[in-house]
Amino acid sequence: MRIPLSWLANYVNLPSKLSDLTDALTSAGHMLDKKESVDGDTVIDLELRGNRADCYSILGIAREVSALFATPIRLPNLYKKLSTTRQLTEVSLHIHSPFVRRAMLTAIKNVRIVTSPDWLKKPLLAYGIDSVNNIVDLTNFVMVETGEPLHAFDLDKIGTNLAIRIARQDEKMLTFQGKTVNLDKNDLVWVNKTDVLSIAGSIGEKNHSISDSTKNVLLEGANYDRVNIRRTIHRHNLMTEASIRHEKELDPGLVEEGIYRFLYLVDKYDWGQLTAQVADYYPSPVKPWSISLSFDYLNTLGGVNPGPNKVKTILKGLNFKIKNETKNGLVVICPPYRTDVTLEEDLIEEVLRIDGYDKIPTRTLSLEIPPIVTPAYVGQEENFRTAAQSVGLDETITSSFVSEKYHKFNQYLENANVAPIKIVNRPSPDNEVLRLTLLPNLVAMTQKVINERGHQAGFFEIGKVYFKQKDYCEKRKIGIIYWQKDSEPFTKFKGLVESLLLKANIEKVSFGRQNINNPRLTNTYNLLLDKTVIGFGGQNGTIFYCEIDLDVLVGKHQKTVAQLWPKFPPQIEDITLTIPANVSVGEIVTSIKQTKYVTATELIDTFENYYTFRLWYQDPSKTLTAKEVGESRKSLLSLIKQKFKAKIK
Amino acid sequence: MREEIINLKNLAIGRITDTDDLAELEAVKIDYLGRKGKINALLSNLKKADPGERKDLGQLINETKQTIVATLERKLQDSLPKSSENFDPTIPGIKPKIGHLHPTTIVIKEMFDIFGHLGFSIMEGPEIETDDYNFGKLNLPHDHPARSLQDVLYIDEPEILLRSHTSSVESRALDNLKQPFRIVVAGKCYRYESVNASNNAMFYQFQGVALQAGISMADLKGTLYYFAKSFFGRERKIRFRCKYYPEVEPGGGLDIDCIFCKQTGCAVCKGRGWLEMLGCGMIHPNILSNFSLDPKKISGFAFGMGLDRIVMDRFGIKDIRSLYNGDIKY
């Protein structure tokens, strides 16, 4: 809220240095947003706390300044109390809704509409409200000064029978700003026999408002259920000076203050003739409430102990009344406008913020360290990240949503019958459907690389996929995507995935042919650890993709054991085989690995259906003789010949 | 004897020229030039020679010795490795592919490490949440501004939604963890937002919660100062002030000096000189009561911050969308 300092200075002495004022207000919860100069007056714009309805006024801020700088406040003059009545003689008001907590009315006759004098016009202008005429300006002035929104009707235009009720469906009202509002059964309105006169708490109707020809005025001040007002102003986009106050928890007592302040100023400047009566509808007056404060609790929660005298000074400075006092604590009565203070913890905050948050000491949790409860998958994700990074993949984080263009890729890989989860109130079509696999967004990124830049793309993402079976499910996956300009063979991608898994200490993963339910992928396969499926992979054009389920892999990693070089040297030899097309090379590799003395094998070359394997024969306890190796080779080759009809070159 | 000397010389030169092995050259040196070597042996035999020839023979031995020394030296020089004439160190190298981590991951890891030193565990929670965990249990009454349909993405209105903050994990921690505990959470959150350079429907938050008898605002302040100084640097200025959040009482906020303008005021800090970094406070007594904890017996603090802005500042990223759409070039 904008606070013109010359206006504020009417009620409280300000420190001579502006930054002393704004620093103190910022620290106490009203952050300085910006400051500017309007017509020689400094205006500070404070970001106010949503629960401080009382601070949306110059007086509210003056009370804060008074408490912060321990300086007295000069309250504005009010008109003397008039006799209250149920109904005015000029007009009756019937209230048909529990959302009205209080409503006050009074008539002002023979009003003199004039151009506003400077004392009225200038502060409003600095605040940001343009001048209309003295009566309209005065309602605004009192609202900004006290925080109570007031409304002035043209008494001669509104008839004699008024009511506040819930609007009828599709009832319409033209605001004085010229906007037509289509009301519904949730909106609270002021009406007469035929027309809607105003939307409660936010804006008046055009033809019943004050004009230059207005002779008699009906002044109203009210307090409503803020939730109802809030809904209405958001539904119809009716942010006004009145509504930003009414949507907060205002003190119903403020209604009276606003009305009598208005009457005082009308009387003082002779802008109209006051009537003797005020109608006041206030079915359940707010009773004063008290809160106890324990000094011990202040110390244990606040971490600071200013001492009983300081605490009392602070609370008194904020207009709390000390009802009771012991050596352990206080019982205080809250000022009625402090609708945000209802609990002992609220009081503690009051003490801390006026004393200053800078007085709170800094302790670094000087308590016993609680047990560590970090789940295992946190370390697992970190291992996979390191592993993926070490094989040269770049990490990416993509949206949990799948953009419209890539919906066709969004198929759950494990089960065709899983539909994606959708947002019911999507902000845009690209933020509507949750991903069932990391594939669509990784493909989108890779295609971007293919189309726009680079000759190679290798990404991984660790993230969740979302689906509904019986319940809503979230599964953690790692998606690996790879593309290279001059089409790379599958073996290169597979090697990358294998190295990644080995680096993450997941050993003995095998790849097997498997149809999966994503028509966008060809050459599909699954990944198995023992007999458990841990992931799926396939190809989209020249892009390779593989997705591994991290949840099933938790705890499946091998412990790292340091290995030493064997003491006895290996015998290394290359064998070239012709393998029939119907035989899986993987099975041959398995046979080779099962051969006596063979400790490792690698496929080092392929040409047409020729496959060259390199074999390491080794024994940990001796150097193998040519005879021992020869026997081993012989048994391997005869097995391969028999079982796979493979030929030795 | 003359013949003997010439033979010895030829043999030695032969041995030297025949080998490139440094050990063999060393052996030749010892064999011929050593204290008990063959040259010294010849010299000591010189006195047995014909006195008339002694002078000539002595000269011949000396010549032989010098020839061997020179040959040996030349050979040793020749067997040292040589640079190729056209070696060019300015030629570009062939770089192995290095993988990179995402900036958000790097920041999260760094924060986890800092809080790890203070005894915090890492926790996660679901992104698809119930209204109760996201709002209800967190003292966010039904008509709190944060609850309007405009702000939250619903999957099944009004009960199932995408979490709008990581405070939902605070609910789950209070529900499931045995006290005392200290946890930090980092994760995706969602809100109803049209996407532009500074707003996204998906964003990252970082949250911390500590629950333990005896925890006070002083512990909160100390913890956050430790974090801020560790993460942003010891030289940075920090401001701790009162701020309102429904989830905490008393509530606070931590601001950090604007490095873009050195606190002289700029567009990034909106002329304030300070950047709002996080919101925090003591867990609201209503929340503790919601989880059957007695606010008078146990207390705790909570803090939360948006990560994307911090990541963008750290890595000089201007557009929030580029964080999660693959535009980052590694």
Side-chain angles (χ1 to χ4, degrees), chain A residues 179-195:
Chain A
K179 173 183 168 182
T180 303
V181 181
N182 223 346
L183 298 159
D184 66 38
K185 286 188 284 190
N186 297 302
D187 302 322
L188 194 62
V189 287
W190 286 66
V191 295
N192 63 14
K193 287 262 179 226
T194 51
D195 297 311

Side-chain angles (χ1 to χ4, degrees), chain B residues 90-107:
Chain B
T90 68
I91 194 169
I94 300 166
K95 299 177 190 74
K97 179 75 184 76
I98 298 169
H100 300 84
L101 293 181
H102 190 276
T104 302
T105 305
I106 294 169
V107 165

Side-chain angles (χ1 to χ4, degrees), chain A residues 248-267:
Chain A
K248 297 179 176 74
E249 189 74 25
L250 283 169
D251 165 27
L254 210 56
V255 175
E256 207 171 320
E257 211 176 304
I259 293 278
Y260 284 110
R261 176 65 175 155
F262 189 95
L263 295 183
Y264 172 84
L265 290 168
V266 168
D267 183 60

Side-chain angles (χ1 to χ4, degrees), chain A residues 231-410:
Chain A
R231 286 180 177 159
T232 290
I233 62 178
H234 284 274
R235 198 161 40 238
H236 302 301
N237 198 13
L238 293 172
M239 268 303 175
T240 63
E241 286 290 338
S243 67
I244 60 168
R245 291 172 172 84
H246 275 303
E247 70 161 355
K248 297 179 176 74
E249 189 74 25
L250 283 169
D251 165 27
L254 210 56
V255 175
E256 207 171 320
E257 211 176 304
I259 293 278
Y260 284 110
R261 176 65 175 155
F262 189 95
L263 295 183
Y264 172 84
L265 290 168
V266 168
D267 183 60
K268 182 175 174 189
Y269 292 96
D270 199 19
W271 285 339
Q273 187 189 330
L274 308 189
T275 50
Q277 287 182 323
V278 169
D280 190 0
Y281 169 85
Y282 192 16
S284 352
V286 173
K287 292 190 184 72
W289 65 98
S290 55
I291 305 171
S292 38
L293 172 69
S294 140
F295 295 135
D296 268 358
Y297 191 40
L298 168 64
N299 193 20
T300 55
L301 192 71
V304 67
N305 189 1
N309 288 332
K310 188 76 192 276
V311 172
K312 276 193 309 191
T313 310
I314 287 171
L315 291 175
K316 280 190 203 154
L318 287 162
N319 289 336
F320 288 86
K321 293 201 170 58
I322 311 291
K323 188 176 163 191
N324 195 0
E325 182 185 351
T326 66
K327 70 178 191 342
N328 298 323
L330 307 169
V331 179
V332 300
I333 301 168
C334 284
Y337 53 83
R338 289 305 302 271
T339 52
D340 61 310
V341 179
T342 56
L343 302 169
E344 187 172 5
E345 289 80 3
D346 298 328
L347 268 186
I348 291 173
E349 185 182 82
E350 290 306 299
V351 173
L352 294 183
R353 73 182 186 92
I354 299 299
D355 194 34
Y357 271 33
D358 55 329
K359 302 262 172 59
I360 300 171
T362 52
R363 277 205 306 261
T364 318
L365 281 166
S366 47
L367 297 161
E368 194 186 322
I369 294 178
I372 293 296
V373 291
T374 302
Y377 60 72
V378 172
Q380 182 209 31
E381 283 186 9
E382 208 174 310
N383 285 342
F384 270 87
R385 271 196 191 93
T386 311
Q389 199 189 354
S390 70
V391 297
L393 297 169
D394 289 329
E395 188 188 18
T396 181
I397 297 175
T398 67
S399 172
S400 307
F401 302 103
V402 177
S403 66
E404 227 179 350
K405 198 178 152 196
Y406 285 90
H407 282 179
K408 53 183 186 281
F409 286 91
N410 198 28

